[in-house]
Amino acid sequence: MCGREMIKMNVYVLLADGFEEIEALTPVDILRRAGFDVSMVSIYDRLEVNGGHNILVKADIVIDDIDISKECCVILPGGAVGVTNLKASEKVKNIVKKQNDKGGLIAAICAAPTLLSDLGLLNGKIATCYPDLRCELSCESVPENADVVMDGNIITSSGAGTSGEFAFAICSVLGKDNESKKLRGGMCYPSQGVFEKS
């Protein structure tokens, strides 16, 4: 970890076949650089998960190894096929509901916020998702031209091109704002700003 102390919080990135690789791996990379303990989680009983563009990824753990009884963050990448597969998993839905019930951080990008909407977790909130799917969100409103939206314990983002901003927002919310800013500079990543409900 380049001398960085590992942060004692589990970050789980849930991977289903057809996941959008950029949206999954960008948060893994950035959060690990910031010192977080990030686990790529296969929602199956196998570690290998195939991305939407045929990039085969070996997860760190399978879904039965998740422990959300402790403080953690759950990240849901998009990808139309990947999100369809996430929605088909009762284990995924139970983890997301339990995480929300305890006020734990949930971050979803692209098509994945529609899963949160299906579970009723966006009711009364502001959120965003892939532009073509915004009509499917049951949230209070979708801010115009917002790449990342934060409302309470939920972070949503609009797509692959916003994956960096999404990852930096998660990093900041998890208490590493200074590290996030340093990483931006080191990675030559300009800030686009984040819309946060006041």
Side-chain angles (χ1 to χ4, degrees):
M1 294 302 300
C2 301
R4 293 186 181 90
E5 182 180 344
M6 190 69 72
I7 296 169
K8 301 300 181 187
M9 172 188 284
N10 291 319
V11 177
Y12 299 117
V13 181
L14 305 189
L15 302 181
D17 285 335
F19 72 91
E20 171 54 62
E21 295 94 337
I22 293 172
E23 296 166 2
L25 299 180
T26 301
V28 171
D29 182 289
I30 289 174
L31 291 167
R32 284 183 178 174
R33 288 175 192 244
F36 289 97
D37 186 359
V38 182
S39 295
M40 294 184 292
V41 181
S42 168
I43 71 164
Y44 310 107
D45 59 1
R46 54 179 159 85
L47 290 177
E48 292 77 15
V49 187
N50 198 29
H53 300 91
N54 292 317
I55 300 174
L56 188 65
V57 172
K58 184 176 181 182
D60 302 299
I61 59 175
V62 296
I63 195 165
D64 289 337
D65 295 330
I66 285 183
D67 179 8
I68 63 164
S69 64
K70 300 175 183 176
E71 187 177 11
C72 65
C73 170
V74 174
I75 299 176
L76 305 169
V81 174
V83 172
T84 297
N85 289 330
L86 289 175
K87 289 181 178 184
S89 169
E90 291 302 318
K91 289 181 180 180
V92 167
K93 291 186 281 190
N94 287 336
I95 286 168
V96 171
K97 286 188 284 190
K98 287 178 182 177
Q99 177 74 349
N100 187 69
D101 288 345
K102 70 184 182 107
L105 186 64
I106 301 169
I109 185 169
C110 193
T114 63
L115 184 154
L116 305 183
S117 186
D118 291 352
L119 295 174
L121 306 187
L122 297 183
N123 294 343
K125 291 186 175 288
I126 57 169
T128 193
C129 69
Y130 189 73
D132 290 350
L133 300 175
R134 288 177 182 166
C135 61
E136 297 184 22
L137 295 185
S138 61
C139 59
E140 180 180 296
S141 65
V142 178
E144 289 294 324
N145 303 316
D147 291 340
V148 179
V149 175
M150 298 190 296
D151 189 347
N153 66 311
I154 294 178
I155 300 174
T156 53
S157 191
S158 54
T162 67
S163 298
E165 198 65 47
F166 177 64
F168 286 120
I170 296 167
C171 186
S172 294
V173 169
L174 292 178
K176 295 291 283 185
D177 190 52
N178 287 338
E179 188 72 19
S180 176
K181 290 173 182 174
K182 289 178 186 175
L183 284 170
R184 280 183 184 277
M187 297 172 73
C188 302
Y189 193 96
S191 175
Q192 300 299 315
V194 175
F195 186 95
E196 185 171 4
K197 185 176 181 181
S198 57

